[in-house]
Amino acid sequence: PRKCIEMYTFEGDVVLDPFLGSGTTAVASKQTGRKYIGVDLSEEYCKIAEQRVESTPSRSTKPIEVS
């Protein structure tokens, strides 16, 4: 999912994953500086995804200087 996220979205965009599963798309979104929304019917998978996302470091972005 990471390559698709990088190709079709910009940093700061929101990525919607209506089938969250274990959170692979949410993790890739966080790593590439995107926001994410994940939905899943299984509470167990939502908890797994939440743990994965929490343990993933965010992409640090530096402010852009405009002159």
Side-chain angles (χ1 to χ4, degrees):
R2 185 179 179 133
K3 285 191 178 199
C4 287
I5 290 169
E6 290 176 325
M7 285 178 41
Y8 296 110
T9 64
F10 298 101
E11 282 193 44
D13 280 356
V14 177
V15 176
L16 172 64
D17 183 1
F19 308 101
L20 181 63
S22 63
T24 302
T25 301
V27 168
S29 298
K30 186 174 180 181
Q31 290 174 334
T32 57
R34 276 68 169 174
K35 298 174 183 133
Y36 50 88
I37 298 172
V39 181
D40 203 289
L41 293 175
S42 169
E43 187 175 336
E44 181 181 349
Y45 273 105
C46 287
K47 289 178 183 177
I48 292 168
E50 185 177 9
Q51 291 171 349
R52 287 188 65 202
V53 169
E54 286 176 356
S55 67
T56 301
S58 295
R59 180 179 194 170
S60 61
T61 56
K62 296 180 181 178
I64 299 172
E65 290 187 29
V66 178
S67 48

